């Protein structure tokens, strides 16, 4: 029974990945593996997703998002404004660094902001709104979530057309989230301005350049093959840990779903 526990934990943590693996294996009984399998994969989507996740992990390692967000939070003067600021940060963050990474980055910020101002009772409501904003904010941009990236790449949707299609629900989502924040009372609060983290400027500049490069690859300005060589090589030299932190379960999910859908 003890030996089974790690397996159970793995399945619980990677449920969608496990479903994708089982679905792919099931179809392999009907369509035996052959060279046609290689045509199933949208390699550009997989590479773009990997590169974006890797650079975002590197930025997280130097506390870039935490420091940036905290400085923005400092301008808030009451609880309602704090809510709106945190929701907007998460919302905009999901457009740039994808919804999963936005939650991992900004949920702890929400916790720290409320706990440091003795407003823990509002934690659940803030977390719910941050979860919603992360999932809705990513809808506008091609790299806001993995599904967008796949659709944008596979169907070669023009960038302007993609954003135009998603703009109406995007604006509606913003309006609904702002309305939800209005239910929070504008209670005055003060946030400690002193925090230990300091921005590593050389690494910040380097990682932002790599991030811009990954975005250009998404927008088909730079060949993804070049990015696949250059970005991991630089990160391997500067911050190997960021390559280990990538959500390979998410990449694996797409890999096996490509097999399933291809078969």
């Amino acid at each position: 029974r003890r030996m089974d526990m790690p397996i159970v934990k793995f399945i619980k943590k990677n449920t969608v990945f496990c479903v994708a693996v089982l679905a792919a294996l099931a179809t392999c009984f009907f369509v035996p593996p052959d060279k046609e399998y290689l045509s199933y994969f949208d390699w550009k989507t997989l590479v773009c997703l990997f590169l974006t996740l890797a650079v975002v992990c590197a930025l997280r390692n130097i506390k870039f998002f935490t420091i940036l967000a905290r400085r923005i939070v400092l301008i808030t003067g009451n609880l309602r404004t704090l809510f709106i600021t945190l929701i907007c940060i998460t919302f905009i963050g999901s457009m740039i660094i994808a919804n999963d990474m936005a939650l991992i980055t900004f949920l702890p910020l929400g916790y720290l902001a409320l706990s440091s101002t003795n407003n823990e009772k509002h934690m659940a409501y803030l977390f719910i709104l941050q979860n919603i904003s992360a999932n809705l904010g990513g809808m506008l941009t091609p790299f806001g979530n993995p599904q967008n990236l796949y659709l944008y790449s596979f169907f070669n949707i023009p960038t302007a057309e993609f954003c135009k299609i998603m703009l109406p629900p995007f604006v509606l989502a913003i309006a609904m989230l702002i309305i939800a924040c209005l239910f929070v009372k504008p209670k005055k609060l003060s946030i400690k301005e002193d925090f230990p983290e300091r921005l590593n400027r050389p690494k910040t500049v380097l990682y932002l350049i790599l991030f811009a490069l990954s975005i250009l690859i998404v927008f088909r300005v730079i060949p993804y093959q070049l990015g696949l060589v250059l970005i991991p090589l630089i990160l391997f030299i500067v911050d190997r840990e960021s390559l280990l932190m990538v959500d390979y379960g998410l990449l694996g999910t797409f890999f096996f779903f490509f097999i399933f859908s291809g078969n």
Side-chain angles (χ1 to χ4, degrees):
R1 189 173 180 179
R2 289 181 180 178
M3 292 179 64
D4 292 338
M5 289 303 294
I7 298 175
V8 173
K9 289 181 179 179
F10 177 84
I11 294 174
K12 286 184 177 181
K13 188 178 180 180
N14 302 277
T15 305
V16 178
F17 170 75
C18 293
V19 170
V21 172
L22 291 175
L25 290 176
T27 59
C28 289
F29 286 103
F30 300 96
V31 184
D34 56 23
K35 63 180 180 180
E36 292 297 322
Y37 271 48
L38 294 176
S39 65
Y40 293 167
F41 304 104
D42 186 338
W43 298 109
K44 181 176 182 292
T45 296
L46 292 173
V47 170
C48 288
L49 186 57
F50 167 70
L51 296 179
T52 303
L53 291 174
V55 176
V56 168
C57 286
L59 285 167
R60 282 186 59 226
N61 280 346
I62 60 171
K63 308 286 186 181
F64 171 78
F65 298 111
T66 303
I67 295 171
L68 176 63
R70 279 183 175 178
R71 294 194 181 280
I72 295 174
V73 170
L74 287 175
I75 68 175
T76 64
N78 61 63
L79 189 61
R80 180 186 293 170
T81 308
L82 175 62
F83 259 70
I84 294 174
T85 303
L86 289 170
I87 297 306
C88 289
I89 290 172
T90 309
F91 196 85
I92 296 171
S94 65
M95 295 167 52
I96 301 171
I97 63 175
N99 49 4
D100 291 349
M101 297 305 296
L103 279 177
I104 293 172
T105 302
F106 299 121
L107 272 182
L109 174 66
Y111 170 80
L112 290 171
L114 292 183
S115 59
S116 64
T117 55
N118 297 318
N119 285 285
E120 290 88 347
K121 64 180 180 179
H122 299 286
M123 200 83 71
Y125 190 54
L126 176 63
F127 280 5
I128 290 170
L129 292 182
Q130 282 188 286
N131 271 276
I132 294 172
S133 64
N135 283 284
L136 295 182
M139 74 170 83
L140 182 65
T141 59
F143 44 85
N145 60 55
Q147 298 91 325
N148 281 15
L149 185 58
Y150 171 71
L151 294 171
Y152 175 80
S153 176
F154 186 81
F155 294 104
N156 290 313
I157 303 173
T159 304
E161 182 182 349
F162 188 98
C163 294
K164 182 180 179 182
I165 292 170
M166 298 309 301
L167 186 60
F170 179 81
V171 173
L172 178 61
I174 294 176
M176 293 177 69
L177 284 165
I178 296 298
I179 291 172
C181 290
L182 297 180
F183 288 97
V184 179
K185 294 181 179 181
K187 172 186 174 184
K188 289 187 178 181
L189 49 81
S190 59
I191 301 175
K192 296 178 181 179
E193 296 190 21
D194 186 30
F195 46 89
E197 291 88 352
R198 292 291 180 266
L199 198 62
N200 186 323
R201 293 186 179 181
K203 285 189 175 182
T204 299
V205 173
L206 175 61
Y207 295 159
L208 288 178
I209 291 174
L210 294 181
F211 184 76
L213 183 62
S214 67
I215 298 304
L216 290 175
I217 294 171
V218 172
F219 286 125
R220 312 180 185 114
V221 177
I222 298 174
Y224 73 88
Q225 295 91 340
L226 176 62
L228 183 59
V229 174
L230 186 61
I231 294 178
L233 178 61
I234 294 175
L235 290 179
F236 182 80
I237 297 171
V238 180
D239 183 6
R240 298 179 186 180
E241 186 181 355
S242 62
L243 296 174
L244 298 176
M245 292 171 60
V246 171
D247 187 353
Y248 291 102
L250 178 61
L251 292 172
T253 299
F254 268 74
F255 182 88
F256 287 105
F257 267 133
F258 279 137
I259 296 176
F260 170 73
S261 61
N263 283 341

